[in-house]
Amino acid sequence: MAPSVDDLRQQLRERGYLSHGIERWFALDPLSSRTFWVELLAVALKGSVLIALFGALPLVAVMLFRNHPLSAWETFLMTAIYGGAGVLVAFALLVAIALGLKLRPEMAIDTPRVLLAISFAAAGLLALLTAFWWYRFDTRGSITELVTGLALVVIFFLMSTVVVSAALLSFSIYELRRVPAIHQKPRGIPMSIAAVVLIALLFIPTYAAQDRPLLPPEQVVTAASQTRVALIAVDGLTSEIFESKPELRALLPHVIRAESIAAESATERWATVGTGVPTRFHGVRAIEGVRLAGGKHVIQSLSRADVVMHRLAEAVGLARRQPLPPTVRRRAYVWEIFAGRGVPSLAVNWWTTENINAGGLRSVGQESIFSAAAGGAKQRPAETTALDVDAIAARDLLANIDSTHPTFATAYLPALDVLLNRLGLDQSTRLTTSVQALGGIAEAVKAVRERNYDVLLIGLPGDRQKGSAVIASTAAIANRASAMDVAPTLCTLLGFPASSEMPGTPIVADRPQPRITTYGARTSGPQSGKVNDEYYRNLRSLGYIR
């Protein structure tokens, strides 16, 4: 004898699937029944919370792989933010499905197969949203990230199927006259425990990567060098553009087409050039990042589809977007290594640097350069500001060379990249201003040469810019090179050993040079260093931040 509907309702109540009053759904008009809406919202809320617990797992795991390390508080807050957004999405989906089934009688669930199909479709949609979010990162993740993420997405899909199916039981029980096998035993409590345990496991990497106290810089034996070297770094300068400028070709006779650096942003590319180490060591990825409320790390690697972190978290005050502070870099630029060991050094306008005049290092950061170029409160065309950034950086470079006579000097000139790749200029303006930028670069190189420096120039294509990198020098260099070779080359020229963390090789040495294991982590203040709003506005006006 088939069990009555009342018996089935009682079984489901005992298993935690139904609450009082839900059995009257089919007898009530949803547009006028308070009981219908209360019970519908209660069941949808219970289901959406459980779905969100499992939905946050792959998102947080991928973010931890890409933004390692994060503190336990930052991991918890990130889980809460993604979980809260997941509750909203799953809640809306469950309510929409329930109302669709109620308001469209022809869609009534009358077989277990139909119930399972609807559950699969709903869970599949949620899993696809997660996959799209993951796909929209600018770079591929590691194999470990891929395996872990796929496993958690599969778990999320399976658990979502069970939860959606459970939420829809109130519709199917009247037609099936039985409880489907998948729901014969209670699932809510075990699934909740499993989700909490899996989330807790995400905190293991945060404890394994607690910030350790910084040690004094390692001292090394260096070879005495009388060479004075200047590095000119030009963003947006390709080998093809360089060859089209005879003035540069005449100043720097030794030229090679070099291998560029694949990276998410200009900040990451140039941090790799200046430190000589891969991104996983120097930790710089983006031009701007997200800082969670109460967190000390800047989250740089974000999916382009991550509206939760980009918009929602900021709107509710749980996070804020900001340009990278100077303290975010975990490895020193090679000139910081030189200065820390007695070689007078000068650096102008490099990413993630600040104004410093101590310990043999004179550093002029981007905030002051960009602020001076923007002209304060005056509104100026962005292309004029870009040209002025280069002009002011070159002026500061030469003025400090004349006053302090450093052994090593460097400047980063970004105007060409801004004009060619970041501003929406008409063709005539783009051509005119880029020619002006190239003229300014040639003048800067000439002026540095006249001050008896050996000049090494490195140019990299900008974002989505076609062309090859270029390395040019006043001294003879190897026939083949990559942008990763710049840092170890500078080390060799100044009599320093490169570190084993630097994958590049010197392009001026005739024989292999000795190496040390590492120069260690950069000694800097906490990452909570603030970046002023004016600098943020300048980055937006120049097209670095959309």
Side-chain angles (χ1 to χ4, degrees), residues 404-467:
T404 63
H405 308 289
T407 303
F408 175 83
T410 182
Y412 168 73
L413 307 178
L416 192 60
D417 171 53
V418 173
L419 297 169
L420 294 179
N421 306 308
R422 301 187 184 278
L423 300 181
L425 305 175
D426 60 78
Q427 290 295 337
S428 176
T429 303
R430 179 177 289 110
L431 177 62
T432 302
T433 53
S434 60
V435 169
Q436 288 180 260
L438 286 168
I441 294 165
E443 290 176 7
V445 171
K446 180 181 179 181
V448 173
R449 281 201 61 179
E450 290 173 348
R451 287 160 171 80
N452 298 317
Y453 280 81
D454 283 333
V455 178
L456 183 68
L457 179 143
I458 167 91
L460 298 182
D463 294 343
R464 296 174 295 279
Q465 182 180 1
K466 296 181 180 179

Side-chain angles (χ1 to χ4, degrees), residues 365-424:
Q366 279 192 330
E367 286 189 53
S368 57
I369 296 286
F370 279 31
S371 177
K378 296 184 294 182
Q379 290 288 342
R380 309 179 66 198
E383 59 271 24
T384 301
T385 300
L387 290 170
D388 284 349
V389 167
D390 272 17
I392 293 171
R395 182 198 67 196
D396 282 6
L397 175 71
L398 298 174
N400 280 283
I401 286 177
D402 292 337
S403 62
T404 63
H405 308 289
T407 303
F408 175 83
T410 182
Y412 168 73
L413 307 178
L416 192 60
D417 171 53
V418 173
L419 297 169
L420 294 179
N421 306 308
R422 301 187 184 278
L423 300 181

Side-chain angles (χ1 to χ4, degrees), residues 113-326:
R113 186 174 300 172
V114 176
L115 172 64
L116 193 61
I118 294 176
S119 302
F120 275 152
L125 175 61
L126 294 172
L128 283 174
L129 290 175
T130 302
F132 178 73
W133 169 89
W134 196 3
Y135 171 76
R136 291 287 289 160
F137 278 93
D138 287 331
T139 56
R140 295 180 180 178
S142 65
I143 296 298
T144 307
E145 176 195 319
L146 178 63
V147 172
T148 304
L150 286 176
L152 291 176
V153 169
V154 170
I155 292 173
F156 172 47
F157 172 77
L158 295 176
M159 294 305 179
S160 298
T161 300
V162 174
V163 174
V164 174
S165 177
L168 298 179
L169 275 176
S170 55
F171 292 97
S172 63
I173 189 174
Y174 284 85
E175 288 80 12
L176 300 179
R177 293 282 176 155
R178 64 181 177 82
V179 179
I182 194 174
H183 300 294
Q184 289 295 328
K185 294 182 179 181
R187 295 287 189 269
I189 294 178
M191 289 172 62
S192 299
I193 294 174
V196 171
V197 170
L198 289 173
I199 289 174
L201 292 176
L202 294 176
F203 287 81
I204 292 178
T206 68
Y207 286 105
Q210 293 296 313
D211 291 333
R212 297 175 177 83
L214 295 173
L215 299 175
E218 180 178 348
Q219 299 302 312
V220 298
V221 176
T222 63
S225 174
Q226 301 302 316
T227 304
R228 295 208 300 172
V229 180
L231 171 67
I232 306 296
V234 183
D235 208 351
L237 179 64
T238 64
S239 176
E240 293 77 9
I241 295 175
F242 182 92
E243 293 291 350
S244 69
K245 194 69 176 174
E247 301 96 315
L248 280 173
R249 194 68 172 82
L251 290 167
L252 302 165
H254 303 280
V255 184
I256 52 174
R257 180 175 296 186
E259 181 182 347
S260 188
I261 295 173
E264 292 185 21
S265 68
T267 329
E268 181 179 358
R269 284 191 295 274
W270 291 105
T272 301
V273 170
T275 62
V277 302
T279 303
R280 68 180 182 275
F281 291 125
H282 64 65
V284 178
R285 292 185 177 275
I287 290 172
E288 69 166 348
V290 171
R291 191 191 297 279
L292 296 174
K296 60 181 180 179
H297 296 96
V298 178
I299 299 173
Q300 301 175 53
S301 186
L302 287 167
S303 168
R304 293 185 180 272
D306 197 337
V307 295
V308 175
M309 282 294 174
H310 280 303
R311 305 294 181 190
L312 181 61
E314 186 176 29
V316 298
L318 294 178
R320 59 186 175 88
R321 298 169 66 184
Q322 66 165 75
L324 298 191

